[in-house]
Amino acid sequence: MIWLNAVVQGLLLGGLYAIFACGLSLMFGVMRLVNLAHGDIGVLAAYFSIILIEHLGGNPLWTFAAVVPVAALVGYFLQRFLFDRALDGGELSPLLVTFGLSIVIENLLQQTFGANDQSLNIGALSYQSWKIATDVYVGRLNVIIFVIAVIVIVGLQLFLSKTRTGLALRATADNRRAASLSGINPKRTRSIATAIALATVAIGGLFLAMRTSFAPTSGSSDLLFAFEAVIIGGLGNLWGTLIGGIALGIAQTVGSQINAADGILIGDLVFLAILAFRPQGLVGLKSEVAR
Amino acid sequence: MTHLRLDRVTAYYGHLQALQELSLEVDQGEILAVIGANGAGKSTLLSLISGEQAPREGRVFFDDIDITSLAPHQRVRKGIALVPEGRHLFGTLSVEDNLRSGASTRRRGTWDLDAVYELFPFIAARRKHRAAVLSGGEQQAVAIGRALMSNPSLLLLDEVSLGLAPVIIRDLYAALQRITAEGTTLLVVEQNITEALAAANYAICLLEGRVVLEGKPDTLSQRAISQAYFGHDLGPSSKAAS
Amino acid sequence: MSEITNSPLDVAPLVTRGSKGSRLGLGTVIVVAVLLAFAPAITGDATTNDLTQFFILLIMAVGWNLVAGYGGMISIGQQAFIGFASYAVLDLSLHGVLAWYGVPIAIVLSGLVSIPVSFLAFRLRGGYFAIGTWVIAQVFQLVIGQQSNLGGGAGASLNDLNNLSPITRDDITYWFALALCVLALGVTGFLLRSRIGMALVAVRDDEHSAAATGVSVVRTKRFIFILSAAICGGAGALLIISNLEVQPNSSFAIQYSAFMIFMVLVGGIGSFEGPIIGAVIFFILEQTLDNYGVWYLVILGAFAIIVTLWLPRGIWGAIDPRHRRSLVPLRYELHVDEG
């Protein structure tokens, strides 16, 4: 039963990783930009929520309504004023700029809030659980996070396949030149992609902060998990990202079951094994990795 | 009325001068054929009109508005659409999504999905397929259809017939006649001189970035064209061959 | 180009390696290195230690410049090799190998361990390569952090050199650092002059064209990756013999990547001189901003962004915008004798 429990907990954790991963994947798809500050922005969102609760009070759940739109707006302008410029500078520039941004965010947070662990207190929801089998309990919050993760992925998928803007994003991801020749505004498209990415990573950041404690430097590990989920699942495929997140989550919880300190390491090893033996990912069709 | 006007444009391809103080006027409803050998500056000329490249010197006017500094997508909004050489379809998207993406400017006009499917009935059957799996001729039809979806008043075509079978080329050119019947101005860049000249009502020949020959196609002699095309007289033997 | 075509055929252009200035520069570098070797005898122990730290930084910068500036691979996982080498020296000393001998062995081991790493990391490109190397560094940290004989998560001390007086120890460490620094710079310079160096520049500038002209892109990149790992390993080995302790979180710190990137960017990525300039500036900043704690890292990050966007070829690029000058004789120079 402890193994079943580990798998169930891992599955639920995987939803959170998928939320973190889908924005990373979207930005890479649309503009070949890997945002190394992706995880840090999620953590920044969590601190933003803490400030709001400190000043306005209430249950942190309401702060989604404030933090997520702000994140989207920040994403839109971050793309306009920083990332677009970095993309003009060649292949290396976006990496160096986003790495610089990551360092700035992490250390500003450390300066402002100190290095201590924090968490978002959501009251009873954090410990209520459902019993689904003997000795297998699932936290209500974890189930909610998983359900919202699936909703985010499905919603994003529908947005991409059904709307004009979604079409513009897919077209830009496929062929940038042809997209602009078809009248698609490349700047606007890139900004929208980043806005979505930051909105989703803000959702992930808030959930992470409700689920567990976090610190200014948590963003790095969030980035690594998101990245592992993307590669495990297979590039350019949102369902793959969800599957990849779940696979990573299960690897980590089962790993922790084997040895409490081994969770992250087992997750990393699953990632490396995928890289070595199935580089197209679990769901991916493309034979080529990360071009 | 002058629809498109290039005023003494100079442009470079890398470090090489591709166009030298070239001026050009295209009237509304005209079909202009631009011919010339490889490296004569044809593609550079198109990229100046589509906005993918800015001229080093000179201006580009569209309906007497200076569009020199507009980006490609802004020019599509104004009514200039390019069918690029090599088609550049969205390979991972369905045929229908490819066509739809052409309509992102929401310009009004006669062209919509139904009209494009009517023009190219053979792609209607494949609307759900990914564009990458289509044959060359089908892909070219989708590329033209995608450009039409933006309801352009000026349609630029770069090497439409490249790599296609003669029977397909004939179909595509027949479709072009129907497009111009809707009042669209056409600028056709071709190495396939025969088709281009047959379709056009005016032709210019580029050589080393300059216009070396121009006129109505039926007034241009074979000899003049080959001289302009290759930059020298090929002599009587090649004349006999043609 | 035009000079060659314009010159009459009977006047052959003279091709030399380096200009007068750059050969003078090389001479200066050698003289400076020799003078620095006597520094411990002249300066105090504190200065000696500062210089050791500077050499370690410079070695790191040279290693990262090699992999990123010449190899075109943005790695943010070079701390894997820094930490690995530190721990290799420790492990060797626990098995009876004196730390001084452990240093060269650790460097070789760092190069060797980077071979399997390269096979995994090279499956990824561009941005995903960057994060991939980061993950691999994390794996190194997690695995080594669990070895209880190496102190586990708490770390361990190197007790090997305790019988030496601190000053003697520091002086020997200093000479090690100076020697490795000269070696790293020398190997890089030698490499850039060699066929591989030319292949490297070709690969960096255009992978596809380089492949078309017969350069084995993957082999060249792998060679660079291994060499860079060995150089970073050198920095790691020096870190443990100067600090005398290791701890997983600090030995594998992502900060090392931040430092390396900062130094190389500011100095001038993809130039021989860039890392030297960058290391000097970083070292001065580190000394002056030491009291500002976290702010210092904020400034570092902001600087990295600003330099990338507005001064993409760094300070050396601003000094030498047309790639004309060179501190040491690295490139071919063409002299057309008009008379």
Side-chain angles (χ1 to χ4, degrees), chain C residues 142 146 173 231-232:
Chain C
L142 290 172
Q146 286 181 12
T173 305
I231 292 175
C232 290

Side-chain angles (χ1 to χ4, degrees), chain C residues 124-148:
Chain C
L124 299 163
R125 290 178 164 273
Y128 282 164
F129 173 85
I131 314 187
T133 54
W134 194 345
V135 171
I136 291 168
Q138 179 177 288
V139 171
F140 270 70
Q141 180 185 340
L142 290 172
V143 170
I144 288 177
Q146 286 181 12
Q147 309 306 313
S148 51

Side-chain angles (χ1 to χ4, degrees), chain C residues 1-168:
Chain C
M1 286 295 271
S2 61
E3 277 155 273
I4 307 172
T5 45
N6 290 344
S7 70
L9 282 172
D10 53 354
V11 185
L14 178 67
V15 181
T16 60
R17 190 64 97 140
S19 61
K20 260 182 204 154
S22 68
R23 280 190 292 272
L24 201 68
L26 179 65
T28 316
V29 169
I30 292 171
V31 170
V32 168
V34 171
L35 286 178
L36 279 171
F38 294 101
I42 306 158
T43 64
D45 194 40
T47 311
T48 307
N49 286 341
D50 281 350
L51 283 171
T52 302
Q53 294 306 317
F54 169 74
F55 292 141
I56 294 174
L57 287 172
L58 179 50
I59 292 168
M60 287 182 195
V62 169
W64 197 80
N65 185 42
L66 199 60
V67 76
Y70 289 101
M73 300 170 271
I74 297 283
S75 165
I76 40 183
Q78 297 303 92
Q79 66 273 21
F81 308 114
I82 295 175
F84 175 83
S86 291
Y87 271 94
V89 171
L90 174 72
D91 193 39
L92 286 163
S93 87
L94 295 174
H95 288 88
V97 180
L98 192 65
W100 306 131
Y101 303 113
V103 170
I105 301 175
I107 291 171
V108 172
L109 290 176
S110 300
L112 289 177
V113 81
S114 74
I115 296 172
V117 168
S118 75
F119 278 93
L120 283 173
F122 282 19
R123 297 216 160 187
L124 299 163
R125 290 178 164 273
Y128 282 164
F129 173 85
I131 314 187
T133 54
W134 194 345
V135 171
I136 291 168
Q138 179 177 288
V139 171
F140 270 70
Q141 180 185 340
L142 290 172
V143 170
I144 288 177
Q146 286 181 12
Q147 309 306 313
S148 51
N149 60 322
L150 297 176
S157 300
L158 182 72
N159 299 320
D160 229 18
L161 310 171
N162 286 355
N163 54 343
L164 296 171
S165 79
I167 292 190
T168 316

